[in-house]
Amino acid sequence: MVQSPKWSVARRASSTRPDLSKFQLIVLATMSLALVMCAVVLGREGRSGDPLNQTSAIVGTVFLMMPLVFFLAKRLGFAASPPFWFVMHAVSGFIGVALIAVHVAPVSSISPALVPLVSLVFLVCQGFWVRAFLSRRLSFLFARSPKSFAYTGKLPPNREAIAAVIKQKEELLKRLDPSASEATFSPRLRHWVRRPFKALRYDYLARKEGRLVGARGRAGLVLSYARQVHILVAGIFYLSLLAHVVVMLFFAGYAAKGGEAYWWHFTSWGAR
């Protein structure tokens, strides 16, 4: 007896890995924006160094250290679950910018102290926009190992050249990190420290593979440089934040510009 085939609708694959959907990111961004607006409206009468404002700045800074921890953990190979670290990265960024808004709400003049604020706003907005609205191709750029074959469109005709580069990467990887897989490997900090020339060579081959495949051309100008811009601005943010903290806590006299250093600080160096 011939049985008729049974048809069923394919279900969407589920995953237990933590991640943030586009909707969840929009909700987080909306909540963060609402908190920022409330802080700006309600905190105009205070001073940035008042106990509440300074405490908010300290707690916000702690939250904003999470993206840096994520970056270092990933580069050092300690990020066993990158999606989890990304969730912490995004959530801490939204919380951090809301807390910093409480700190800077009374500020009404332009000064170098606003550099970390401008950098932070750019990082949060750019990260949210790229992840929420351009995330379909994001993984190919925020990872240093380009899996460019997953792009839609025709593959380039120079497959032999691409295969040759992949072969070179596989041979080099045997000496750089024998336990790693070429498909997912990217040089980490320990590779750059222990075998800098091999890591540099592998990075060169990975970039060459990307050029041969045309990954950046297919991604578009914005996505092509999204990762580099994000890291560059993040570097500016953390350096300017460090400078701001050092000045306010140790050079309070200089920061007060002849006035009262009313905020909590260690020393008043630079007093006039």
Side-chain angles (χ1 to χ4, degrees):
M1 180 177 180
V2 179
Q3 295 182 350
S4 58
K6 295 182 179 180
W7 301 92
S8 61
V9 178
R11 296 183 179 180
R12 187 176 181 178
S14 60
S15 174
T16 58
R17 300 199 317 169
D19 201 357
L20 290 174
S21 65
K22 178 179 178 179
F23 175 76
Q24 291 171 326
L25 284 170
I26 293 176
V27 170
L28 282 173
T30 303
M31 293 175 60
S32 180
L33 179 60
L35 291 174
V36 168
M37 294 179 65
C38 289
V40 171
V41 172
L42 300 177
R44 297 294 297 174
E45 301 301 325
R47 295 183 297 180
S48 296
D50 286 343
L52 175 62
N53 299 66
Q54 188 175 23
T55 301
S56 179
I58 294 172
V59 177
T61 300
V62 172
F63 273 100
L64 293 174
M65 288 296 106
M66 181 57 66
L68 179 60
V69 172
F70 163 71
F71 176 80
L72 294 176
K74 185 178 180 181
R75 290 295 100 200
L76 292 172
F78 296 133
S81 177
F84 168 78
W85 283 95
F86 166 73
V87 171
M88 298 302 297
H89 179 147
V91 172
S92 61
F94 284 123
I95 295 176
V97 73
L99 291 170
I100 295 299
V102 177
H103 173 60
V104 302
V107 176
S108 58
S109 59
I110 299 177
S111 69
L114 293 179
V115 173
L117 175 64
V118 174
S119 303
L120 174 61
V121 172
F122 175 85
L123 288 170
V124 173
C125 292
Q126 188 228 18
F128 165 71
W129 175 54
V130 172
R131 180 70 187 193
F133 298 100
L134 303 178
S135 59
R136 187 173 184 178
R137 294 182 290 180
L138 176 69
S139 60
F140 303 109
L141 297 166
F142 270 74
R144 294 175 64 89
S145 301
K147 300 178 183 178
S148 306
F149 288 102
Y151 281 108
T152 57
K154 295 182 179 180
L155 290 174
N158 53 347
R159 298 189 182 185
E160 293 184 1
I162 297 172
V165 172
I166 294 176
K167 183 65 175 179
Q168 293 179 57
K169 289 173 62 182
E170 291 174 342
E171 293 298 326
L172 181 59
L173 190 57
K174 293 177 182 178
R175 292 174 287 164
L176 183 59
D177 193 336
S179 62
S181 171
E182 182 274 333
T184 58
F185 176 79
S186 63
R188 294 173 176 170
L189 184 60
R190 59 187 174 90
H191 299 114
W192 290 99
V193 172
R194 296 176 182 177
R195 299 178 176 88
F197 295 106
K198 289 184 176 62
L200 183 63
R201 173 65 177 170
Y202 192 93
D203 186 71
Y204 166 76
L205 290 173
R207 294 179 186 277
K208 183 178 180 180
E209 179 189 358
R211 289 194 300 270
L212 289 172
V213 176
R216 293 194 180 279
R218 299 181 186 188
L221 181 63
V222 175
L223 271 177
S224 296
Y225 296 97
R227 178 179 180 274
Q228 289 88 336
V229 171
H230 199 79
I231 293 177
L232 175 62
V233 178
I236 295 174
F237 166 70
Y238 283 113
L239 288 175
S240 58
L241 177 64
L242 176 62
H244 178 68
V245 171
V246 170
V247 169
M248 300 307 294
L249 295 184
F250 295 96
F251 295 86
Y254 169 79
K257 298 179 180 179
E260 176 192 3
Y262 61 91
W263 59 90
W264 178 81
H265 56 276
F266 290 111
T267 62
S268 296
W269 295 338
R272 298 178 181 178

